């Protein structure tokens, strides 16, 4: 291999790594920003809905009131994984797969630590939540399969 080829290959690999890292940062930073805003506004589900992509929003729009009792995801705050939200906790954020960010929520009071995973879709530097996965499974799947 000549020097020019090696240099070009290295530069290409570096650019791929940087763009991949930037995408990961964007996804994690989006979720961090949502949680920072959630703490400040002391909100959860209402705030999350502002970040849903069109498919998740559509699944929620099709929720029928008579089927709501079959949908465990709507009976508690998905963001804080509780009905008794502790807004002062310090969540940790981890990239766990392609387009997936896991948030670990610390134990407090009588509540044990919990985690929730967000699937994100990003376009032109903006990420939207396309699904929320917790102990009850996929929000999107439940809305589509059980709740309509």
């Amino acid at each position: 291999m000549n020097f020019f080829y090696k240099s070009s290959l290295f530069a290409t690999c570096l650019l791929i790594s940087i763009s991949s890292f930037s995408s990961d940062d964007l996804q994690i930073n989006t979720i961090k920003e949502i949680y920072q805003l959630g703490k400040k506004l002391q909100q959860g589900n209402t705030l999350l809905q502002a970040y849903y992509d069109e498919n998740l929003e559509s699944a929620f729009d099709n929720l029928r009131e008579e089927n709501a009792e079959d949908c465990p995801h709507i009976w508690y705050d998905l963001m804080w994984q509780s009905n008794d939200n502790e807004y002062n906790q310090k969540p940790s954020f981890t990239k766990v797969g392609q387009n997936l960010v896991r948030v670990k929520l610390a134990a407090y009071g009588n509540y044990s630590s919990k985690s929730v995973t967000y699937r994100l879709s990003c376009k032109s530097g903006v990420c939207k939540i396309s699904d929320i996965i917790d102990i009850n499974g996929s929000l999107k799947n439940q809305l589509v399969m059980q709740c309509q």
Side-chain angles (χ1 to χ4, degrees):
M1 284 189 198
N2 66 27
F3 177 75
F4 178 74
Y5 179 76
K6 285 182 184 178
S7 297
S8 296
L9 183 60
F10 176 75
T12 302
C13 290
L14 185 60
L15 284 174
I16 290 170
S17 298
I18 290 170
S19 67
S20 173
F21 181 73
S22 297
S23 175
D24 289 353
D25 273 356
L26 179 61
Q27 293 170 352
I28 288 175
N29 285 337
T30 297
I31 298 301
K32 281 182 179 179
E33 288 172 13
I34 292 170
Y35 274 84
Q36 287 170 351
L37 192 55
K39 283 180 175 187
K40 182 178 179 181
L41 300 175
Q42 295 194 350
Q43 289 186 350
N45 284 347
T46 304
L47 178 61
L48 284 178
Q49 289 174 358
Y51 290 89
Y52 289 171
D53 73 1
E54 62 187 41
N55 293 325
L56 187 55
E57 193 172 309
S58 176
F60 249 109
D61 289 345
N62 291 327
L63 176 66
R64 293 190 190 140
E65 193 172 318
E66 64 270 12
N67 295 346
E69 64 188 41
D70 297 329
C71 303
H73 280 103
I74 65 168
W75 294 107
Y76 60 95
D77 193 302
L78 292 166
M79 183 169 168
W80 301 105
Q81 294 290 294
S82 174
N83 283 327
D84 183 22
N85 301 339
E86 174 53 55
Y87 299 107
N88 292 323
Q89 61 181 297
K90 295 180 180 170
S92 62
F93 305 89
T94 310
K95 182 82 170 154
V96 292
Q98 186 172 358
N99 302 324
L100 296 171
V101 175
R102 177 168 296 138
V103 178
K104 183 161 180 160
L105 301 165
Y108 70 93
N110 293 328
Y111 295 96
S112 60
S113 66
K114 297 180 181 181
S115 67
V116 58
T117 302
Y118 296 90
R119 183 178 308 278
L120 295 132
S121 56
C122 303
K123 292 180 191 169
S124 303
V126 176
C127 292
K128 293 285 193 172
I129 299 170
S130 59
D131 200 3
I132 302 172
I133 304 142
D134 65 7
I135 195 166
N136 289 308
S138 162
L139 170 63
K140 189 176 190 178
N141 288 347
Q142 279 200 357
L143 288 171
V144 170
M145 304 302 280
Q146 270 181 271
C147 307
Q148 295 187 9

